[in-house]
């Protein structure tokens, strides 16, 4: 019998150019997937798509891919 295994991890969030680098999202991420920068970025492999970053961002920069 052949068993097919499929990844069930949901799509990661990403941060758009709207980011003003306030840092609020990085403090909220439970898996520390958010990296500082002129525009913050999300490690797609680490992100568990909890949405916490989107919930605190003042400009709505984190979006689901
Ligand atoms: Fe972190 Fe959750 Fe945002 Fe993914 S969706 S980067 S896990 S806060
Ligand atoms: Fe950028 Fe929004 Fe994160 Fe602030 S909360 S660093 S504006 S993505």
């Amino acid at each position: 019998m052949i068993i097919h295994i499929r990844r069930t991890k949901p799509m990661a969030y990403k941060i758009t150019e709207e980011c003003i680098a306030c840092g609020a999202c990085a403090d909220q991420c439970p898996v520390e997937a958010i990296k500082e920068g002129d525009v913050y970025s999300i490690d797609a492999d680490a992100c568990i798509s909890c949405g916490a970053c989107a919930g605190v961002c003042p400009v709505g920069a984190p979006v689901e891919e």
Side-chain angles (χ1 to χ4, degrees):
M1 185 172 74
I2 298 172
I3 299 172
H4 294 280
I5 298 173
R6 199 161 47 121
R7 281 187 80 190
T8 54
K9 188 176 180 293
M11 298 298 285
Y13 274 63
K14 68 173 181 185
I15 293 174
T16 67
E17 294 291 320
E18 302 296 309
C19 174
I20 56 172
C22 71
C25 58
D27 291 340
Q28 296 298 317
C29 181
V31 294
E32 299 183 1
I34 302 175
K35 197 177 73 169
E36 286 180 41
D38 292 339
V39 170
Y40 276 46
S41 59
I42 292 173
D43 177 349
D45 289 331
C47 176
I48 57 170
S49 301
C50 70
C53 51
V56 296
C57 181
V59 295
V63 294
E64 272 185 291
E65 284 194 288

